[in-house]
Amino acid sequence: MSTATTLVAMTQPEFLAFVEAVVPAYAADKVASGQWREAEALALSRKDLDELLPQGLATPGQHLYTLRDAESGDAVGRLWIAEQVRAGSKVAYVYDVEIAAAHRRKGHAMRAFEALEAEARALGFEGIALHVFGHNRGAQALYEKLGYRPTNIHMFKDLAAAMP
C-alpha cells in the first residue's frame, strides 16, 4: 500500500471528466440535504459550477488537482480548492474532494489532506476551510481526525417528511 498521495495539476481531459462527475454528485448532495428539489438540482448544480469556474481550469484563484498514488502513479481521486479571504486571512477553501470508489479505505483521503496542507502553505494560505454536508458522517469524522473544527452548523427539519 502506498505511503503517499500527491496533488498533480489537473489536465484538460481530467477537468472535463471532473465536470461530468461533480455536477450530478453535487446536485444529489443538495437534494439529500434538503436544499434543492430534484427537478431543479442538475440545472442549479451546473449554474453554480459555471459561476465558480467561468474559465474552466484557467479560472484565477482556483486550483484543481488529480490525486495520485505516489508509488503507482494511478489517479485515485480529485481535489478542488479556491483562494478566499476569511477574517482577514488568505485561506484555501475546499470545494470538492473525491476518492474513486476502487481506492477508498486505503488512506488516500487522509494523505491528500496532508499533501494539501503542504500545498496550501506553499501557496501562502494561512488556513484551510471546507463545507461538509450533514449526512456525510464519514467525511465529518475524517476532518475531525485531521484537526478541523466546526465553525457554523446549519440545521433543518423537513416538515413534509415529518407529517404523520
Side-chain angles (χ1 to χ4, degrees), residues 2-19:
S2 178
T3 58
T5 303
T6 60
L7 282 59
V8 179
M10 202 177 272
T11 65
Q12 186 62 29
E14 289 169 335
F15 177 73
L16 295 175
F18 157 78
V19 169

Side-chain angles (χ1 to χ4, degrees), residues 88-103:
S89 296
K90 182 179 164 186
V91 302
Y93 184 82
V94 178
Y95 270 109
D96 182 63
V97 61
E98 178 76 17
I99 303 299
H103 299 283

Side-chain angles (χ1 to χ4, degrees), residues 134-149:
H135 61 269
N136 194 342
R137 301 285 188 205
Q140 290 173 35
L142 171 67
Y143 301 143
E144 287 174 11
K145 186 175 180 179
L146 289 167
Y148 290 79
R149 61 178 175 73

